[in-house]
Coordinates of all heavy atoms in Angstrom, one line a residue:
L50 N -4.8 -5.1 -5.6 CA -4.1 -6.3 -5.0 C -2.8 -6.4 -5.8 O -2.7 -6.4 -7.0 CB -4.9 -7.6 -5.3 CG -6.3 -7.7 -4.6 CD1 -7.1 -8.9 -5.1 CD2 -6.1 -7.7 -3.1
V51 N -1.7 -6.4 -5.0 CA -0.4 -6.4 -5.5 C 0.2 -7.8 -5.2 O 0.3 -8.2 -4.0 CB 0.5 -5.3 -4.9 CG1 1.8 -5.2 -5.7 CG2 -0.2 -4.0 -4.9
V52 N 0.5 -8.6 -6.3 CA 0.9 -10.0 -6.1 C 2.2 -10.3 -6.8 O 2.5 -9.7 -7.9 CB -0.2 -10.9 -6.6 CG1 -1.5 -10.6 -5.9 CG2 -0.3 -10.9 -8.1
P53 N 3.1 -11.1 -6.2 CA 4.3 -11.5 -6.9 C 3.8 -12.6 -7.9 O 2.9 -13.4 -7.7 CB 5.1 -12.2 -5.8 CG 4.2 -12.6 -4.8 CD 3.0 -11.7 -4.8
K54 N 4.5 -12.6 -9.1 CA 4.2 -13.6 -10.1 C 4.6 -15.0 -9.6 O 4.0 -16.0 -9.9 CB 4.9 -13.3 -11.4 CG 4.3 -12.1 -12.1 CD 4.9 -11.7 -13.4 CE 4.2 -10.6 -14.1 NZ 4.9 -10.2 -15.4
Q55 N 5.7 -15.1 -8.8 CA 6.1 -16.4 -8.2 C 5.0 -16.8 -7.2 O 4.6 -16.0 -6.3 CB 7.4 -16.3 -7.5 CG 7.9 -17.6 -6.9 CD 9.2 -17.5 -6.1 OE1 9.7 -16.4 -5.9 NE2 9.7 -18.6 -5.6
H56 N 4.5 -18.0 -7.3 CA 3.5 -18.4 -6.3 C 4.1 -18.7 -5.0 O 5.0 -19.6 -4.8 CB 2.8 -19.7 -6.8 CG 1.8 -20.2 -5.9 ND1 0.4 -19.8 -6.0 CD2 1.9 -21.0 -4.8 CE1 -0.2 -20.4 -5.0 NE2 0.6 -21.1 -4.2
L57 N 3.7 -18.0 -4.0 CA 4.0 -18.3 -2.6 C 2.6 -18.3 -1.9 O 1.8 -17.4 -2.2 CB 4.9 -17.2 -1.9 CG 6.3 -17.0 -2.4 CD1 7.0 -15.9 -1.6 CD2 7.1 -18.3 -2.2
A58 N 2.4 -19.2 -1.0 CA 1.1 -19.3 -0.4 C 0.7 -18.2 0.4 O -0.5 -17.7 0.4 CB 1.0 -20.6 0.4
S59 N 1.6 -17.6 1.2 CA 1.2 -16.5 2.1 C 2.5 -15.9 2.7 O 3.6 -16.4 2.4 CB 0.4 -17.1 3.3 OG 1.3 -17.8 4.2
A60 N 2.3 -14.9 3.5 CA 3.5 -14.3 4.2 C 4.3 -15.3 5.0 O 5.5 -15.2 5.2 CB 3.0 -13.1 5.1
D61 N 3.6 -16.3 5.4 CA 4.2 -17.4 6.3 C 5.2 -18.2 5.4 O 5.9 -19.0 6.0 CB 3.1 -18.2 6.9 CG 3.6 -18.9 8.2 OD1 4.2 -18.2 9.0 OD2 3.3 -20.1 8.3
A62 N 5.1 -18.1 4.1 CA 6.0 -18.9 3.3 C 7.2 -18.1 2.8 O 8.0 -18.7 2.1 CB 5.2 -19.4 2.0
V63 N 7.4 -16.9 3.3 CA 8.6 -16.1 2.9 C 9.8 -16.6 3.7 O 9.8 -16.9 4.9 CB 8.4 -14.6 3.2 CG1 9.6 -13.8 2.9 CG2 7.2 -14.1 2.4
T64 N 10.9 -16.8 2.9 CA 12.2 -17.3 3.5 C 13.3 -16.5 3.0 O 13.1 -15.7 2.0 CB 12.4 -18.8 3.1 OG1 12.6 -18.8 1.6 CG2 11.3 -19.7 3.4
P65 N 14.5 -16.6 3.5 CA 15.7 -15.9 3.0 C 15.9 -16.3 1.5 O 16.3 -15.4 0.7 CB 16.8 -16.4 3.8 CG 16.2 -16.8 5.1 CD 14.9 -17.4 4.8
E66 N 15.5 -17.5 1.1 CA 15.7 -17.9 -0.3 C 14.8 -17.2 -1.3 O 15.1 -17.0 -2.4 CB 15.6 -19.4 -0.5 CG 16.7 -20.2 0.1 CD 16.7 -20.2 1.7 OE1 15.6 -20.2 2.3 OE2 17.8 -20.1 2.3
N67 N 13.5 -16.9 -0.8 CA 12.6 -16.3 -1.8 C 12.1 -14.9 -1.4 O 11.2 -14.4 -2.0 CB 11.3 -17.2 -1.9 CG 10.5 -17.3 -0.6 OD1 10.6 -16.4 0.2 ND2 9.9 -18.4 -0.3
S68 N 12.8 -14.3 -0.5 CA 12.3 -13.0 0.0 C 12.4 -11.9 -1.1 O 11.8 -10.8 -1.0 CB 13.0 -12.5 1.3 OG 14.4 -12.4 1.0
G69 N 13.2 -12.1 -2.2 CA 13.3 -11.2 -3.3 C 11.9 -11.0 -3.9 O 11.6 -9.9 -4.4
T70 N 11.1 -12.0 -3.8 CA 9.7 -12.0 -4.3 C 8.9 -10.9 -3.5 O 8.2 -10.1 -4.1 CB 9.1 -13.4 -4.1 OG1 9.7 -14.2 -5.1 CG2 7.6 -13.4 -4.3
A71 N 9.1 -10.9 -2.2 CA 8.3 -9.9 -1.4 C 8.9 -8.5 -1.6 O 8.2 -7.6 -1.7 CB 8.4 -10.4 0.1
S72 N 10.2 -8.4 -1.7 CA 10.8 -7.1 -1.8 C 10.4 -6.5 -3.2 O 10.3 -5.3 -3.3 CB 12.3 -7.1 -1.6 OG 13.0 -7.9 -2.5
A73 N 10.3 -7.3 -4.2 CA 9.8 -6.8 -5.5 C 8.5 -6.1 -5.4 O 8.2 -5.1 -6.0 CB 9.8 -7.9 -6.6
V74 N 7.6 -6.8 -4.6 CA 6.3 -6.2 -4.4 C 6.4 -4.8 -3.7 O 5.8 -3.8 -4.1 CB 5.4 -7.1 -3.5 CG1 4.2 -6.4 -3.0 CG2 5.0 -8.4 -4.3
F75 N 7.3 -4.7 -2.7 CA 7.4 -3.5 -2.0 C 8.1 -2.4 -2.8 O 8.0 -1.2 -2.5 CB 8.1 -3.7 -0.6 CG 7.0 -4.1 0.4 CD1 6.8 -5.5 0.5 CD2 6.3 -3.2 1.1 CE1 5.8 -5.9 1.4 CE2 5.3 -3.7 2.0 CZ 5.0 -5.0 2.1
E76 N 8.9 -2.8 -3.8 CA 9.5 -1.8 -4.7 C 8.4 -1.3 -5.7 O 8.4 -0.1 -6.1 CB 10.6 -2.4 -5.5 CG 11.9 -2.6 -4.7 CD 12.9 -3.5 -5.4 OE1 13.0 -3.4 -6.6 OE2 13.6 -4.2 -4.7
A77 N 7.4 -2.1 -6.0 CA 6.4 -1.7 -6.9 C 5.3 -0.8 -6.3 O 4.7 0.0 -6.9 CB 5.7 -3.0 -7.5
I78 N 5.1 -1.1 -5.0 CA 4.0 -0.4 -4.3 C 4.0 1.1 -4.4 O 3.0 1.8 -4.7 CB 3.8 -0.9 -2.8 CG1 3.2 -2.3 -2.8 CG2 3.1 0.1 -2.0 CD1 3.2 -3.0 -1.5
P79 N 5.2 1.8 -4.1 CA 5.2 3.3 -4.3 C 4.9 3.7 -5.7 O 4.2 4.8 -5.9 CB 6.6 3.7 -3.9 CG 7.1 2.5 -3.1 CD 6.4 1.3 -3.6
R80 N 5.3 3.0 -6.7 CA 5.0 3.4 -8.1 C 3.5 3.3 -8.3 O 2.9 4.1 -9.0 CB 5.7 2.4 -9.0 CG 7.2 2.7 -9.1 CD 7.9 1.8 -10.1 NE 9.0 1.2 -9.5 CZ 9.6 0.1 -9.9 NH1 9.1 -0.6 -10.9 NH2 10.7 -0.4 -9.4
I81 N 2.9 2.2 -7.8 CA 1.4 2.0 -8.0 C 0.7 3.1 -7.3 O -0.3 3.7 -7.8 CB 1.0 0.6 -7.6 CG1 1.7 -0.5 -8.4 CG2 -0.5 0.4 -7.7 CD1 1.7 -1.9 -7.8
A82 N 1.1 3.3 -6.0 CA 0.4 4.4 -5.2 C 0.5 5.7 -5.9 O -0.5 6.5 -6.0 CB 1.0 4.4 -3.9
K83 N 1.6 6.0 -6.5 CA 1.8 7.3 -7.2 C 0.8 7.4 -8.4 O 0.1 8.4 -8.6 CB 3.2 7.5 -7.6 CG 3.5 8.9 -8.1 CD 5.0 9.1 -8.3 CE 5.2 10.6 -8.8 NZ 6.5 10.7 -9.3
A84 N 0.8 6.3 -9.2 CA 0.0 6.2 -10.4 C -1.5 6.3 -10.0 O -2.3 6.8 -10.8 CB 0.3 4.9 -11.2
E85 N -1.8 5.8 -8.8 CA -3.2 5.9 -8.4 C -3.6 7.2 -7.7 O -4.7 7.4 -7.3 CB -3.5 4.7 -7.4 CG -3.5 3.3 -8.1 CD -4.6 3.1 -9.1 OE1 -5.8 3.5 -8.8 OE2 -4.4 2.6 -10.2
G86 N -2.6 8.1 -7.6 CA -2.9 9.4 -7.0 C -3.0 9.5 -5.5 O -3.6 10.4 -5.0
L87 N -2.3 8.5 -4.8 CA -2.5 8.4 -3.4 C -1.4 9.3 -2.7 O -0.5 8.8 -2.1 CB -2.3 6.9 -2.9 CG -3.4 6.0 -3.5 CD1 -3.1 4.6 -3.0 CD2 -4.8 6.4 -3.2
K88 N -1.6 10.6 -2.9 CA -0.6 11.5 -2.4 C -0.6 11.7 -0.9 O 0.4 12.1 -0.3 CB -0.9 12.9 -3.0 CG -0.7 13.0 -4.5 CD -0.9 14.4 -5.0 CE -0.8 14.4 -6.5 NZ -1.6 15.4 -7.2
N89 N -1.7 11.3 -0.2 CA -1.9 11.6 1.2 C -1.7 10.3 2.1 O -2.0 10.3 3.2 CB -3.2 12.2 1.4 CG -3.2 13.2 2.6 OD1 -2.2 13.8 2.9 ND2 -4.4 13.3 3.3
G90 N -1.2 9.3 1.5 CA -0.9 8.0 2.2 C -1.9 6.9 1.8 O -2.8 7.1 1.0
Y91 N -1.6 5.8 2.4 CA -2.4 4.6 2.0 C -2.1 3.5 3.0 O -1.3 3.7 3.9 CB -2.0 4.1 0.6 CG -0.6 4.0 0.3 CD1 0.2 2.8 0.6 CD2 0.2 5.0 -0.3 CE1 1.5 2.7 0.3 CE2 1.5 4.9 -0.6 CZ 2.2 3.8 -0.3 OH 3.5 3.7 -0.6
R92 N -2.7 2.4 2.9 CA -2.5 1.2 3.8 C -2.2 0.0 3.0 O -2.8 -0.3 1.9 CB -3.8 1.0 4.6 CG -3.7 -0.1 5.6 CD -4.9 -0.1 6.6 NE -4.8 1.0 7.5 CZ -5.9 1.5 8.1 NH1 -7.1 1.0 8.0 NH2 -5.8 2.6 8.9
I93 N -1.3 -0.8 3.5 CA -0.9 -2.1 2.9 C -1.3 -3.2 3.9 O -0.9 -3.1 5.1 CB 0.6 -2.2 2.6 CG1 1.1 -1.1 1.8 CG2 1.0 -3.6 2.1 CD1 0.6 -1.2 0.4
I94 N -2.1 -4.2 3.4 CA -2.5 -5.3 4.3 C -2.2 -6.6 3.6 O -2.5 -6.7 2.4 CB -4.0 -5.2 4.7 CG1 -4.3 -4.0 5.5 CG2 -4.4 -6.5 5.4 CD1 -5.8 -3.7 5.7
T95 N -1.6 -7.6 4.4 CA -1.6 -8.9 3.8 C -2.3 -9.8 4.9 O -1.9 -9.8 6.1 CB -0.2 -9.4 3.4 OG1 -0.3 -10.7 2.8 CG2 0.7 -9.5 4.6
N96 N -3.3 -10.5 4.5 CA -4.0 -11.5 5.4 C -3.3 -12.8 5.3 O -2.9 -13.2 4.2 CB -5.5 -11.6 5.0 CG -6.3 -10.3 5.2 OD1 -6.0 -9.6 6.2 ND2 -7.2 -10.1 4.4
C97 N -3.1 -13.5 6.4 CA -2.3 -14.7 6.4 C -3.0 -15.8 7.2 O -3.3 -15.6 8.4 CB -0.9 -14.4 7.0 SG 0.1 -15.9 7.1
G98 N -3.3 -16.9 6.5 CA -3.9 -18.0 7.2 C -5.3 -17.8 7.7 O -6.0 -16.8 7.4
E99 N -5.8 -18.8 8.4 CA -7.2 -18.8 8.8 C -7.5 -17.7 9.8 O -8.5 -17.0 9.5 CB -7.5 -20.2 9.5 CG -9.0 -20.4 9.6 CD -9.3 -21.8 10.1 OE1 -8.5 -22.7 9.9 OE2 -10.4 -22.0 10.7
D100 N -6.7 -17.4 10.8 CA -7.0 -16.3 11.7 C -6.9 -15.0 11.0 O -7.6 -14.0 11.5 CB -6.2 -16.4 13.0 CG -6.6 -17.5 14.0 OD1 -7.7 -18.1 13.7 OD2 -6.0 -17.6 15.0
G101 N -6.1 -14.9 10.0 CA -5.9 -13.6 9.3 C -7.0 -13.5 8.2 O -7.0 -12.5 7.5
C102 N -7.9 -14.5 8.1 CA -9.0 -14.4 7.1 C -8.4 -14.4 5.7 O -9.0 -13.7 4.8 CB -10.0 -13.3 7.4 SG -10.9 -13.5 8.8
Q103 N -7.4 -15.1 5.4 CA -6.9 -15.2 4.0 C -7.8 -16.1 3.2 O -8.0 -17.2 3.6 CB -5.4 -15.7 4.0 CG -4.8 -15.8 2.6 CD -3.4 -16.4 2.6 OE1 -2.9 -16.8 3.7 NE2 -2.8 -16.4 1.5
S104 N -8.3 -15.6 2.1 CA -9.2 -16.4 1.3 C -8.6 -16.9 0.0 O -9.1 -17.9 -0.6 CB -10.5 -15.6 1.0 OG -10.2 -14.5 0.2
V105 N -7.5 -16.3 -0.5 CA -6.9 -16.8 -1.7 C -5.4 -17.1 -1.3 O -4.7 -16.3 -0.7 CB -6.9 -15.7 -2.8 CG1 -6.1 -16.2 -4.0 CG2 -8.3 -15.3 -3.2
Q106 N -5.0 -18.4 -1.6 CA -3.8 -18.9 -1.0 C -2.6 -18.6 -2.0 O -1.8 -19.5 -2.4 CB -3.9 -20.4 -0.7 CG -5.1 -20.8 0.1 CD -5.3 -20.0 1.4 OE1 -4.3 -19.8 2.1 NE2 -6.5 -19.4 1.6
H107 N -2.5 -17.4 -2.4 CA -1.3 -16.8 -3.2 C -1.0 -15.5 -2.5 O -1.9 -14.6 -2.5 CB -1.7 -16.7 -4.6 CG -0.6 -16.2 -5.6 ND1 -0.3 -16.8 -6.8 CD2 0.2 -15.1 -5.5 CE1 0.7 -16.2 -7.3 NE2 1.0 -15.1 -6.6
I108 N 0.1 -15.3 -2.0 CA 0.4 -14.1 -1.2 C 0.0 -12.9 -2.0 O 0.3 -12.8 -3.2 CB 1.9 -14.1 -0.8 CG1 2.2 -12.9 0.2 CG2 2.8 -14.0 -2.0 CD1 3.6 -13.0 0.9
H109 N -0.7 -12.0 -1.3 CA -1.1 -10.7 -2.0 C -1.2 -9.6 -1.0 O -1.4 -9.9 0.2 CB -2.4 -10.9 -2.7 CG -3.5 -11.5 -1.8 ND1 -3.6 -12.8 -1.5 CD2 -4.5 -10.9 -1.2 CE1 -4.6 -13.0 -0.7 NE2 -5.2 -11.9 -0.5
F110 N -1.0 -8.4 -1.4 CA -1.0 -7.2 -0.6 C -2.1 -6.3 -1.0 O -2.1 -5.9 -2.2 CB 0.4 -6.6 -0.6 CG 1.5 -7.5 -0.1 CD1 2.1 -8.4 -0.9 CD2 2.0 -7.3 1.2 CE1 3.1 -9.3 -0.4 CE2 3.0 -8.2 1.7 CZ 3.5 -9.1 0.9
H111 N -3.0 -6.0 -0.1 CA -4.1 -5.1 -0.4 C -3.5 -3.7 -0.3 O -3.0 -3.3 0.8 CB -5.2 -5.2 0.6 CG -5.9 -6.6 0.6 ND1 -7.1 -6.8 0.0 CD2 -5.5 -7.8 1.1 CE1 -7.4 -8.1 0.2 NE2 -6.5 -8.7 0.8
L112 N -3.6 -2.9 -1.3 CA -3.2 -1.5 -1.3 C -4.5 -0.7 -1.3 O -5.3 -0.7 -2.2 CB -2.4 -1.1 -2.6 CG -2.2 0.4 -2.9 CD1 -1.4 1.0 -1.7 CD2 -1.4 0.5 -4.2
L113 N -4.8 0.0 -0.1 CA -6.0 0.7 0.1 C -5.8 2.2 0.3 O -4.9 2.6 1.0 CB -6.7 0.1 1.4 CG -7.1 -1.3 1.3 CD1 -7.1 -1.9 2.7 CD2 -8.4 -1.5 0.7
G114 N -6.6 3.0 -0.3 CA -6.5 4.4 -0.1 C -7.6 5.2 -0.9 O -8.6 4.6 -1.3
G115 N -7.3 6.5 -0.9 CA -8.3 7.4 -1.6 C -9.3 8.0 -0.6 O -10.1 8.8 -1.0
R116 N -9.2 7.7 0.7 CA -10.0 8.3 1.7 C -9.2 8.1 3.0 O -8.3 7.2 3.1 CB -11.4 7.8 1.8 CG -11.5 6.4 2.2 CD -13.0 6.1 2.6 NE -13.3 4.6 2.5 CZ -13.0 3.8 3.5 NH1 -12.4 4.2 4.6 NH2 -13.3 2.5 3.4
K117 N -9.6 8.8 4.1 CA -9.1 8.5 5.4 C -9.6 7.2 5.9 O -10.8 6.9 5.9 CB -9.6 9.6 6.4 CG -9.0 9.5 7.8 CD -7.6 10.0 7.9 CE -7.2 10.1 9.3 NZ -5.8 10.5 9.5
L118 N -8.7 6.2 6.2 CA -9.1 4.9 6.5 C -9.3 4.8 8.0 O -8.8 5.6 8.8 CB -8.0 3.9 6.1 CG -7.8 3.9 4.6 CD1 -6.5 3.2 4.2 CD2 -9.0 3.2 3.9
P119 N -10.1 3.8 8.5 CA -10.4 3.7 9.9 C -9.1 3.3 10.7 O -8.2 2.6 10.1 CB -11.4 2.5 10.0 CG -11.6 2.0 8.7 CD -10.9 2.9 7.7
E120 N -9.0 3.8 11.9 CA -7.8 3.6 12.7 C -7.6 2.1 13.0 O -6.5 1.6 13.1 CB -7.8 4.4 14.0 CG -7.1 5.7 13.8 CD -7.0 6.5 15.2 OE1 -6.7 5.8 16.2 OE2 -7.3 7.7 15.2

Side-chain angles (χ1 to χ4, degrees):
L50 297 173
V51 190
V52 305
K54 290 182 175 176
Q55 181 186 5
H56 180 92
L57 293 179
S59 75
D61 205 43
V63 176
T64 65
E66 288 72 36
N67 65 28
S68 62
T70 287
S72 62
V74 166
F75 279 90
E76 286 170 34
I78 283 169
R80 288 183 226 157
I81 299 166
K83 191 172 181 195
E85 292 292 316
L87 301 178
K88 292 183 183 150
N89 212 31
Y91 50 87
R92 181 170 291 159
I93 303 294
I94 294 173
T95 187
N96 294 324
C97 179
E99 195 172 335
D100 281 0
C102 292
Q103 180 182 5
S104 62
V105 179
Q106 311 308 312
H107 181 131
I108 189 171
H109 52 281
F110 296 81
H111 298 257
L112 168 61
L113 297 154
R116 66 168 160 82
K117 182 83 171 175
L118 298 164
E120 267 186 46

